[in-house]
Amino acid sequence: MMNTHAAYRSALAVFVSLVGSMILATTAMASDWRVTRVSQPAYYAADSKSWKPLQAGTVIPAKSWINTGATGRVLLQRDADTVVIQPNTKTGLAGARDGSRRISVQHRAGSILLDINRGKSSRVRVRTHQLTAVVKGTRFTVTANRGRSSVAVERGLVQVRDNRSGQVANVGAGRSVSSTGKGGLSGSGAGGSSSSAVPSSSGNGNSSALA
């Protein structure tokens, strides 16, 4: 009889362990980014050195870098959230390990368009050399070129901070700010340093199209 009880407890323990593993796997899948469309050349690497070609269906590992060539574009999707990586771009994308929908991006060069569904756990932080953008639920583009970074907002509100001066601007839809990392934030077309954003001439819905 005792052997029967021991076997039952052992089987129950195995079952509970399997259920727990399935729940963890489901949670991880929910927080993964998957490539839904891609134009070559486009590569990814977990160490920013061992680059592998991106293909439709590729699941991006945590803390991976993505690099596109002159004709490369990548559309990443996670449920209703999307990230479009434009040509000649290098960016690092990492999701939270706690199952939340927080996103951390280290953006080095080129342009990315993020469309993030508004939600309690959806939070995005994009950092370039010159500025940091923090949002919850919005559509915006971050561009990093030699010596300058900019944020253009299409929907929602983005808080942008100059990494050197600490100056902060709340950038609304149809507006943009930029930074050279020397004199704080400025609006495109505005003279001097200002914390106010001005209408953007670059944001439009066509920027999400992939070749």
Side-chain angles (χ1 to χ4, degrees):
M1 190 71 176
M2 292 181 63
N3 290 337
T4 301
H5 285 308
Y8 173 78
R9 286 195 299 269
S10 177
L12 181 61
V14 171
F15 175 76
V16 171
S17 177
L18 287 173
V19 170
S21 298
M22 290 174 64
I23 292 173
L24 289 174
T26 301
T27 302
M29 288 178 63
S31 61
D32 284 340
W33 289 92
R34 185 180 299 272
V35 177
T36 57
R37 296 183 67 182
V38 60
S39 298
Q40 300 297 338
Y43 303 91
Y44 75 102
D47 57 2
S48 190
K49 296 177 181 179
S50 304
W51 296 99
K52 300 177 182 178
L54 277 173
Q55 305 293 336
T58 300
V59 175
I60 304 300
K63 297 184 178 180
S64 290
W65 289 90
I66 295 177
N67 199 358
T68 58
T71 58
R73 287 183 176 87
V74 181
L75 174 59
L76 301 177
Q77 188 162 5
R78 185 190 63 181
D79 297 332
D81 300 334
T82 61
V83 176
V84 177
I85 302 172
Q86 303 288 9
N88 294 321
T89 292
K90 183 178 182 180
T91 195
L93 184 66
R97 294 183 178 273
D98 58 4
S100 71
R101 302 177 64 81
R102 295 195 304 272
I103 308 165
S104 178
V105 179
Q106 293 288 334
H107 190 54
R108 291 294 175 255
S111 293
I112 54 174
L113 169 64
L114 300 96
D115 194 338
I116 306 301
N117 187 45
R118 183 178 295 275
K120 292 183 179 179
S121 60
S122 293
R123 185 177 178 87
V124 182
R125 179 179 180 271
V126 182
R127 182 180 177 89
T128 71
H129 289 298
Q130 290 83 20
L131 55 78
T132 301
V134 180
V135 301
K136 284 186 70 174
T138 186
R139 180 182 174 93
F140 68 109
T141 298
V142 179
T143 301
N145 293 318
R146 191 172 300 175
R148 177 183 293 271
S149 296
S150 64
V151 176
V153 181
E154 296 183 28
R155 186 187 70 241
L157 189 69
V158 178
Q159 183 184 84
V160 181
R161 178 176 60 85
D162 182 79
N163 292 339
R164 184 171 183 179
S165 69
Q167 182 182 7
V168 175
N170 291 316
V171 187
R175 296 178 178 271
S176 68
V177 291
S178 63
S179 171
T180 61
K182 298 178 181 179
L185 299 172
S186 62
S188 58
S193 175
S194 172
S195 61
S196 61
V198 301
S200 168
S201 61
S202 61
N204 60 71
N206 294 330
S207 57
S208 63
L210 286 173

